Amino acid sequence: MSEKKARMVIVGGVAAGASAAARARRLSEEAEIVLLERGPDVSFANCGLPYHIGGEITDRERLAVQTPESLRAMLNLDVRAGTEAVEIDREGKRIRVRRVTDGGEEWLDYDKLLLAPGASPVRPPIPGIGDRRVHTLRNLQDMDRIKQAAEGAEAVTVIGAGFIGLEMAEQLQRLGKRVTVVELQDQVLPQMDREMTGPVAGALREAGVELILGDGIEAFEPGAEGVGVRLASGKRWAADEVILSIGVRPESGLATQAGLETGPRGHIVVNEYQQTSDPDIYAAGDVTQTRDPVTGESTTAPLGGPANRQGRLVADHIFRPEGVRPYPGSLGTAIVRVFEVVAGMTGCPEKRLRAAGREIESTVVTDHHHAKYYPGACQLSLKLIWDKSDGRVLGAQATGYKGVDKRIDVLATAIRAGMTVADVADLELAYAPPFGAAKDIVNLAGMAACNIRDGLVRIRTGIPEDEDLQLVDLRPPAMAELSPVDRARSIPLPELRDRLGELDQQKPVATVCALGKLSYFGARILAQHGFDVTSVSGGIRVRRDFTAPAGDIPPDGHGHTSRPSTGGDEPAAGRPASEVVQLDACGLACPGPIMKVKEAVAKLAPGTVLEVRASDGGFATDLPAFCRAAGHEFLGAGREDGVVVGRLRAGRTGDAPATTPPGGADGAGATMVVFSQDMDKALAALVIANGALAMGGPATIFFTFWGLNVLRKDAPPPVAGKTFMDRMFGWMMPRGPRKLPLSNMHMAGMGTNLMKWRMASKNLPDLPGLLEEAKKNGARLVACSMSMEAMGLRREELIDGVEVGGVADFLGATSATRANLFI
Ligand code: FAD
């Protein structure tokens, strides 16, 4: 195009349009550039709109990146705000425009025309949609309306849990509104793979947002008291205001009227230089469809980055066509912050590739955003998706608190460069402890992918249902007890090599753990021992975070969840203020934080408040479960700067000392020494203990010498370092409550079995049942440490919940009870 005579007319003055205009001027001082914008503003920051509504961006003026006047002054543009393009005459190369204020019209000639009118929010034709309290958000005027309406609103409903919907939900919640989010899909952020969105849903619920998934809007019912929101399921409630954020539709009316080619959903079809089916008419931004570089198919990416780059390319192609690089397509790289959780994606999600029948593989790894030993390390999960045949990276998604942007950007670059997972494993990324790790999570994901490609591990997603499969939970016992996996046999990883005999080599095995790491290690051990084994990718944590209802955090008055209560600082009525002990469990992966809490709480006096900081994302759900199991009072959990902060008040159960007054409330209570291994005597001791507990007193049973056999496990784990004599003793003595003989009439087992049968037939509890009941009721079962030494018994051979103590322990307990018995 000859520069001197060039007249470029641009329809749409925001992202793509303004970008094209600015670049055009820098390339040609001579060209006449006309920028038409229907609204009053040009080049404003639509991505910032939610943040002004929520008050994070306080100064409205900052959203107006440029004004018509500044564009005129800086770029010598003919900016016509408040002017709508209404018709294109391709033959005559002219466009009809109408002033919004007075309806005045004129025709403008063009040499080159750029259509950058964007996309408008979808407003489906459902009843009540026209009510003034049902808003959509696209420009500064919408923003002003919503901001004003929100001021007087208490309850706001957001329809649509995509990127913008969630930004709005976050900002409205920040303003103290009661926010409900409705999403048709059964997940938030439907653009992403479901398992990566759990932490986002968790963050919303934790913050008190009510989330309704898998349900769609049926109608709005405007009324004096608000807008009734009715869903397909029949659910209905009243909202003061509604934000509709269910997608956008391309504003391609001008193009279709001019006979330009459009795609199946109305987007303008363009070539790699953004030319439409008419080479003198270009189109850029949300109104166009583009190429998906991963699949090679047409796609849409209504995002700021693509719009800006496409606009710039159009100017290049018009004013310096030689050497201009074609548009490479849009990967759909996107990111969102929802309270403290950040979720990002680039490339294709797994679900889309699978639906298209593409042969792919994927893995999810979880680690920290920088060296875990450096303060402030936050958990981060990264999913990598690659082509099964050549290992080329096709997509990546990340969820975490910090560092999501960096990983997504690195992987967006890797996808653009056509890298394979092996290339990603080899990437040399910036590392010092405050910034990353020697093996960054991006490298780890690449390595995990290579392990799969190299056949070192076979993975599966989700917990298998197959009855024939042996499921092995490799987490430490405390975690396996706290959140058991259905049908799984608990074999902690360090014990796996010694307990291979418990598994049937003829049947397939699946290993599982919290985050997928132990499960991979275990799968390697099993594979090398000849087992047919698969490892559950990402562990149970990804799944549980998804389904966890609000992290078990106690509700406040509105049914909304809360940050941890001040616990000891603000005592509950009648309870003295107590000390708050701090515990830092950051940088520890599951189950590290819970193990650390367990240790710490054992040293605390009852009533002491423990405040724990943990970077492990699942700690918010693990802590309440731990408190329930160990008898401590859970005071709440919340997040600060990406770290879970949880509080508990130490109770008397677990390892904490008893607080019951001596002799119990009314002086009841019993202390017993069980010296015998006879079933009947142990039964008697437990009956007395349970009775004492029922009467409100404490009960301590001190098991010594043969009495220790009452506490032995049926199937103890192999114990390293035992002498031959220790093992001999072990073989000779009865193992646990089911194996104990009667003191009289044992008759080589016949009498004992007869007694067990009679007790069962009269519905009397058996010894294991009484033991469990006593433990549940709070009895202290103390194994004499000296006798254990003498008999070569180790703690791990005793049933759970047993304390190991000495004579001082026994004597201390006797001083608190009236009945002291020797059995
Ligand atoms: P627009 O920016 O919509 O501009 C088109 C302009 O054309 C409009 O101002 C319209 O008034 C005008 N117009 C339309 N028809 C005519 C006509 N006939 N005559 C004259 N003028 C006309 N993207 C991200 O990547 N990250 C984000 O965080 C992000 N957040 C967002 C938050 C919100 C609330 C919104 C609304 C969008 C967000 N986006 C985000 C998307 C991003 O803003 C868009 O992808 C981008 O603005 C598209 O640019 P565009 O130039 O194609 O269209």
Side-chain angles (χ1 to χ4, degrees):
M1 184 167 105
S2 152
E3 284 187 23
K4 292 244 176 335
K5 293 181 254 141
R7 188 186 225 203
M8 181 184 187
V9 175
I10 301 170
V11 178
V14 188
S19 182
R23 178 72 172 173
R25 174 56 73 227
R26 291 194 183 105
L27 295 177
S28 170
E29 267 297 302
E30 309 300 324
E32 195 185 333
I33 303 165
V34 184
L35 189 63
L36 305 173
E37 169 54 53
R38 184 174 54 201
D41 308 292
V42 289
S43 194
F44 59 88
N46 20 24
C47 308
L49 304 180
Y51 301 101
H52 182 60
I53 292 172
E56 270 193 79
I57 299 175
T58 47
D59 186 359
R60 184 187 188 278
E61 298 308 305
R62 302 200 65 167
L63 296 173
V65 182
Q66 298 289 343
T67 61
E69 295 71 33
S70 70
L71 283 182
R72 261 180 226 123
M74 294 278 294
L75 295 166
N76 186 26
L77 302 179
D78 179 357
V79 182
R80 303 191 189 189
T83 307
E84 183 175 16
V86 287
E87 185 188 346
I88 300 169
D89 170 12
R90 282 171 58 191
E91 287 287 298
K93 289 188 87 171
R94 56 185 195 148
I95 184 162
R96 183 159 60 92
V97 302
R98 181 186 296 150
R99 277 192 305 279
V100 175
T101 43
D102 59 11
E105 291 193 355
E106 65 178 308
W107 285 94
L108 296 177
D109 294 338
Y110 66 80
D111 295 303
K112 301 288 176 187
L113 177 65
L114 167 60
L115 299 180
S120 52
V122 170
R123 286 184 81 94
I126 52 176
I129 188 96
D131 188 80
R132 64 180 165 77
R133 290 161 294 189
V134 179
H135 307 268
T136 52
L137 176 60
R138 182 182 183 186
N139 53 35
L140 291 165
Q141 292 67 47
D142 297 335
M143 176 190 80
D144 292 338
R145 261 191 303 275
I146 294 174
K147 193 168 169 60
Q148 198 185 7
E151 267 167 29
E154 217 177 88
V156 185
T157 293
V158 177
I159 313 282
F163 287 85
I164 298 175
L166 293 192
E167 286 178 352
M168 282 306 301
E170 182 210 54
Q171 292 299 308
L172 290 162
Q173 184 74 16
R174 194 187 130 90
L175 291 175
K177 310 296 162 197
R178 202 146 34 82
V179 180
T180 304
V181 174
V182 179
E183 168 57 51
L184 186 61
Q185 306 288 318
D186 63 351
Q187 64 171 88
V188 296
L189 298 176
Q191 300 89 335
M192 292 178 65
D193 289 323
R194 190 169 184 267
E195 79 271 20
M196 297 303 291
T197 62
V200 180
L204 285 161
R205 288 181 169 135
E206 253 180 52
V209 172
E210 189 183 350
L211 196 54
I212 300 175
L213 299 176
D215 211 341
I217 181 76
E218 189 106 317
F220 296 109
E221 294 164 345
E225 294 299 304
V227 193
V229 178
R230 178 151 57 83
L231 302 187
S233 63
K235 273 197 195 110
R236 59 204 295 174
W237 66 92
D240 297 318
E241 306 290 335
V242 174
I243 313 289
L244 199 59
S245 184
I246 55 174
V248 291
R249 186 168 288 141
E251 286 216 46
S252 53
L254 268 180
T256 47
Q257 163 269 316
L260 300 175
E261 186 186 348
T262 52
R265 287 165 49 220
H267 297 84
I268 303 176
V269 174
V270 291
N271 67 12
E272 68 272 36
Y273 299 108
Q274 302 298 136
Q275 284 169 299
T276 65
S277 47
D278 178 335
D280 287 328
I281 303 181
Y282 291 76
D286 288 3
V287 77
T288 61
Q289 63 180 44
T290 186
R291 199 182 67 90
D292 180 338
V294 169
T295 62
E297 286 160 14
S298 292
T299 189
T300 56
L303 292 161
N308 273 276
R309 286 180 286 110
Q310 289 169 358
R312 186 176 194 271
L313 189 150
V314 168
D316 278 354
H317 195 247
I318 295 172
F319 294 103
R320 53 177 287 272
E322 59 297 336
V324 69
R325 285 158 55 86
Y327 187 69
S330 299
L331 287 173
T333 308
I335 191 161
V336 66
R337 182 201 68 191
V338 183
F339 302 101
E340 291 202 311
V341 172
V342 180
M345 64 179 292
T346 184
C348 259
E350 175 166 359
K351 58 185 173 190
R352 219 166 81 205
L353 290 163
R354 290 215 184 274
R358 187 94 177 247
E359 284 277 289
I360 56 148
E361 283 176 319
S362 72
T363 190
V364 178
V365 293
T366 300
D367 209 292
H368 290 87
H369 87 289
H370 65 218
K372 66 179 181 185
Y373 56 82
Y374 187 80
C378 294
Q379 201 171 292
L380 175 65
S381 292
L382 181 61
K383 176 171 185 174
L384 200 59
I385 305 150
W386 64 93
D387 189 300
K388 195 171 178 182
S389 65
D390 58 10
R392 210 160 50 87
V393 181
L394 304 178
Q397 296 172 27
T399 315
Y401 302 92
K402 293 179 183 168
V404 168
D405 51 347
K406 166 164 141 172
R407 275 61 187 208
I408 289 299
D409 286 348
V410 166
L411 289 165
T413 311
I415 298 174
R416 260 306 299 283
M419 285 187 185
T420 64
V421 289
D423 296 326
V424 167
D426 279 345
L427 282 176
E428 189 176 319
L429 303 170
Y431 162 57
F435 304 102
K439 268 190 268 175
D440 190 86
I441 188 166
V442 167
N443 300 125
L444 289 178
M447 289 168 189
C450 288
N451 286 337
I452 295 167
R453 280 184 64 68
D454 295 344
L456 288 176
V457 64
R458 285 189 296 129
I459 58 154
R460 55 168 71 234
T461 44
I463 309 289
E465 307 267 304
D466 182 359
E467 289 288 325
D468 244 17
L469 195 112
Q470 305 171 90
L471 191 58
V472 179
D473 181 351
L474 294 161
R475 294 172 299 160
M479 292 311 297
E481 270 168 36
L482 215 55
S483 53
V485 176
D486 270 0
R487 295 196 309 105
R489 174 191 290 265
S490 165
I491 305 184
L493 184 69
E495 296 172 16
L496 184 60
R497 289 185 183 87
D498 294 328
R499 293 176 62 184
L500 292 174
E502 293 178 26
L503 299 172
D504 181 348
Q505 196 134 21
Q506 304 313 311
K507 288 186 176 173
V509 185
T511 53
V512 68
C513 66
L515 301 171
K517 207 170 184 175
L518 300 185
S519 149
Y520 162 65
F521 296 157
R524 285 300 303 146
I525 294 173
L526 289 167
Q528 291 181 73
H529 282 88
F531 284 87
D532 168 13
V533 58
T534 46
S535 164
V536 175
S537 171
I540 58 164
R541 176 54 62 73
V542 170
R543 226 171 68 108
R544 203 190 51 188
D545 279 355
F546 185 85
T547 47
D552 267 348
I553 295 169
D556 64 19
H558 306 294
H560 286 182
T561 51
S562 62
R563 302 237 155 220
S565 78
T566 45
D569 306 329
E570 283 172 22
R575 197 198 291 267
S578 55
E579 191 194 345
V580 178
V581 174
Q582 302 287 334
L583 177 70
D584 183 6
C586 287
L588 297 177
C590 172
I594 280 296
M595 307 306 277
K596 214 165 167 183
V597 169
K598 198 165 178 241
E599 263 170 42
V601 88
K603 296 178 193 139
L604 296 180
T608 310
V609 172
L610 181 70
E611 181 173 286
V612 195
R613 306 178 73 79
S615 51
D616 175 33
F619 184 67
T621 44
D622 286 345
L623 186 63
F626 167 78
C627 289
R628 267 197 310 272
H632 306 294
E633 184 186 352
F634 175 61
L635 297 176
R639 276 183 215 277
E640 281 173 17
D641 206 19
V643 165
V644 178
V645 183
R647 281 185 171 208
L648 63 81
R649 192 190 309 277
R652 75 176 187 86
T653 54
D655 296 322
T659 51
T660 317
D666 56 0
T671 311
M672 286 162 276
V673 177
V674 174
F675 173 83
S676 163
Q677 63 177 17
D678 294 336
M679 182 182 88
D680 38 348
K681 292 180 182 163
L683 273 172
L686 286 159
V687 168
I688 295 167
N690 282 327
L693 290 161
M695 291 171 69
T700 302
I701 315 180
F702 195 74
F703 294 86
T704 183
F705 284 99
W706 310 122
L708 283 174
N709 290 324
V710 179
L711 301 179
R712 290 182 71 193
K713 276 182 185 158
D714 240 357
V719 179
K722 283 192 124 190
T723 64
F724 175 71
M725 282 306 284
D726 288 345
R727 272 184 265 134
M728 269 256 298
F729 251 106
W731 291 328
M732 283 159 40
M733 293 184 302
R735 257 192 197 165
R738 289 181 205 285
K739 308 272 169 55
L740 301 184
L742 271 182
S743 59
N744 277 309
M745 288 174 49
H746 176 55
M747 299 184 302
M750 271 171 54
T752 304
N753 286 339
L754 187 67
M755 177 60 82
K756 285 184 184 169
W757 174 80
R758 275 189 66 81
M759 286 175 67
S761 63
K762 290 176 184 295
N763 269 340
L764 295 172
D766 62 1
L767 188 53
L770 282 172
L771 258 177
E772 274 313 306
E773 199 182 328
K775 278 199 293 179
K776 204 170 73 202
N777 293 340
R780 290 182 67 211
L781 308 180
V782 184
C784 166
S785 51
M786 190 274 287
S787 305
M788 284 176 69
E789 186 59 34
M791 295 169 71
L793 279 173
R794 304 293 157 82
R795 187 181 190 128
E796 51 270 45
E797 292 174 86
L798 304 183
I799 58 174
D800 293 335
V802 171
E803 298 169 45
V804 176
V807 68
D809 209 312
F810 170 67
L811 293 175
T814 56
S815 66
T817 52
R818 286 198 194 143
N820 299 310
L821 308 170
F822 190 87
I823 298 174

